[in-house]
Amino acid sequence: MSKSDPVAVAATASLPPEIFKAYDIRGIVGKSLTPEIVERIGQALGSEALAQNQKRFIIGRDGRLSSPKMASALIEGLRKAGREVIDIGEVPTPMAYFGSFQLRAGCCVSVTGSHNPPDYNGFKIVIDGETLVGDAIQNIYARIAENRLFRADGPGLLSIRDIKNDYIQRISGDIQIERKLKVVIDCGSGVAGAIAPELLAAIGAEVEPLYCEVDGLF
């Protein structure tokens, strides 16, 4: 680790091992998850992707107030490792998985705190078509702790894509209900509200939406 990189030193020194869970990386924003730590996580993911000959990441995020900042820091780290990033914006986690297939990326991260309270956030990760769990997540921690992080000569490319229509068309092209159904959907002010009513309507349902406006405070 270079002594001339104080951000790297501080982020690594304060790296809390407890955020590296069995199925995701998750912590409290501003405490166990800071932009500096998240950037190092992104660089570690980019380094792991490089080791598996993977170039491109899809990044999606939920509707939490902290998610844009967390996604931005993650993207910065991925680009630092020379990875190309396609930002698909505010989407439910399944759309990030879909995006990795649709855009032939092989890797994706959904920035989401899942079912946890609003002060939490985290990352669900796929590299080379495999969801990171268990030892694979611990390896990301080890990469950061041991400073086994690749830094490219220049940042990876960053682009923005809207895949909402592609997602709806793919599902509605496969599924059409034969008998008209009235569906009441309550999205609890979460990010699914941005697409679920339209998706259900596209497969032939009559939709009554409840709490489908995305609200980061729920």
Side-chain angles (χ1 to χ4, degrees), residues 131-200:
T131 302
L132 265 60
V133 298
D135 290 344
I137 290 179
Q138 293 306 312
N139 183 52
I140 299 303
Y141 170 75
R143 275 191 175 275
I144 302 171
E146 298 165 10
N147 202 36
R148 292 187 286 112
L149 302 175
F150 174 73
R151 182 158 189 166
D153 293 335
L157 296 174
L158 172 63
S159 59
I160 297 172
R161 291 283 295 271
D162 183 348
I163 64 169
K164 179 179 178 180
N165 289 337
D166 292 337
Y167 186 70
I168 291 174
Q169 288 171 12
R170 175 58 187 268
I171 294 175
S172 61
D174 288 343
I175 302 170
Q176 286 293 313
I177 55 178
E178 296 181 357
R179 181 171 61 87
K180 195 74 171 180
L181 296 176
K182 183 169 184 177
V183 179
V184 179
I185 180 167
D186 181 350
C187 290
S189 302
V191 70
I195 189 170
E198 188 175 343
L199 176 58
L200 287 171

Side-chain angles (χ1 to χ4, degrees), residues 42 64 201:
R64 292 165 186 266

